Amino acid sequence: MSVAQDGQPGGGAEQQGPRHCYRHPERETGISCTRCERPICPDCMVPASVGFQCPECVRSGSGTGHPPGASRPRTVAGGRVTADPRLVTKVLVGINVAVFIAVLAVGNRLLDPLLLFGQAVTQPYGPLEGVAEGQWWRLLTSMFLHQEIWHIAMNMLGLWFLGPPLEAALGRIRFLALYLLSGIAGGAVTYLLAAPQQASLGASGAIFGLFGATAVLMRRLRYDMRPILILLAINLIFTFTWKNIAWEAHVGGLVAGLVLAYAMVHAPRRRRALVQYGAVALVLAVIVVLLVVRTLQLS
């Protein structure tokens, strides 16, 4: 069966009914690429010398008078459209699994220096250790630690399903910033509110940041939000009913994810960089304030 460039059977048949974006079939549109004539929605339109072009024509060099990279297609948050929208997600999963295997092989010698806790003596007659003693790296390293197989399995499952759509929508750099800052924010809230000797580990803060970001993105794209809200509600119920769960990390990561994602997907195009960098700076500033306040309390 022959297929015309606009996706309709038969090159000579006149198109009937509404047209839909070839990259987002659920979106109706009245705009076509001026080069290949495929229908495109606002998120896929790349301005050309005359009309708009689709991302594929721009990549191949569209005859606009500019090199192919000059009008590179962008995501809804302004990131670059990439061929593999799972790359950062795969790397993060790989790091978590590699650290998990390393901890199983080495044991406490590797685990103890990377755990998150405020202030404690880890060995008899040993010195005080923890974030309050200047070991700030624990806020980052604890995000990649897991001791139980069910723990890493649940977190990596969440990362694998929530990560790629967000990575595709935000772009790699923004997605990585969202993940890391959500995890660090969760650690900072844990440091502030938990007992100083309470050890914490896991990627749950970052995963809850992805939950919040997914809800913001689905609302921005006007998708049905009920599935993500139900899933988030179930996870929050587990957060506050199961024992030995650092609820502080979940709440801190969720709030950071909501703030960052809202700034990323709702920033006006002309001030996109300013709003997005400003949101990142704001979250970082709040994290620093929490760390300083708690450190002064424990000093």
Side-chain angles (χ1 to χ4, degrees), residues 43 72-81 168-174 220 263-269 272-273 276:
D43 287 338
R72 190 182 301 272
R74 297 284 174 173
T75 68
V76 66
R80 292 184 176 182
V81 176
L170 302 180
R172 289 173 178 170
I173 295 177
R174 291 168 179 79
R220 165 68 172 78
M264 289 179 180
V265 303
H266 286 282
R269 181 171 298 182
R272 179 178 283 160
Q276 292 176 349

Side-chain angles (χ1 to χ4, degrees), residues 40-156:
I40 48 178
C41 68
D43 287 338
C44 297
M45 288 189 255
V46 180
S49 56
V50 178
F52 298 93
Q53 295 184 1
C54 68
E56 279 70 18
C57 288
V58 172
R59 286 196 193 98
S60 63
S62 55
T64 60
H66 305 288
S71 300
R72 190 182 301 272
R74 297 284 174 173
T75 68
V76 66
R80 292 184 176 182
V81 176
T82 58
D84 183 5
R86 293 177 178 264
L87 179 62
V88 175
T89 301
K90 293 174 184 176
V91 171
L92 290 172
V93 171
I95 294 174
N96 277 278
V97 173
V99 173
F100 177 71
I101 295 173
V103 169
L104 288 181
V106 178
N108 290 339
R109 286 183 298 153
L110 177 61
L111 181 66
D112 291 345
L114 305 180
L115 281 171
L116 172 63
F117 58 88
Q119 190 179 62
V121 175
T122 60
Q123 298 178 356
Y125 308 106
L128 281 172
E129 297 188 60
V131 178
E133 300 303 312
Q135 297 174 348
W136 305 100
W137 67 83
R138 294 179 180 271
L139 292 163
L140 178 63
T141 57
S142 60
M143 292 170 51
F144 298 95
L145 290 175
H146 299 84
Q147 276 191 294
E148 304 292 338
I149 187 66
W150 64 266
H151 190 198
I152 189 172
M154 290 181 63
N155 279 337
M156 293 305 99

Side-chain angles (χ1 to χ4, degrees), residues 174-218:
R174 291 168 179 79
F175 172 70
L176 182 60
L178 172 76
Y179 182 89
L180 294 178
L181 284 176
S182 295
I184 294 173
V189 175
T190 302
Y191 174 55
L192 176 69
L193 299 179
Q197 68 276 10
Q198 176 182 310
S200 175
L201 76 168
S204 300
I207 301 303
F208 267 77
L210 300 188
F211 272 119
T214 300
V216 171
L217 179 63
M218 293 181 71

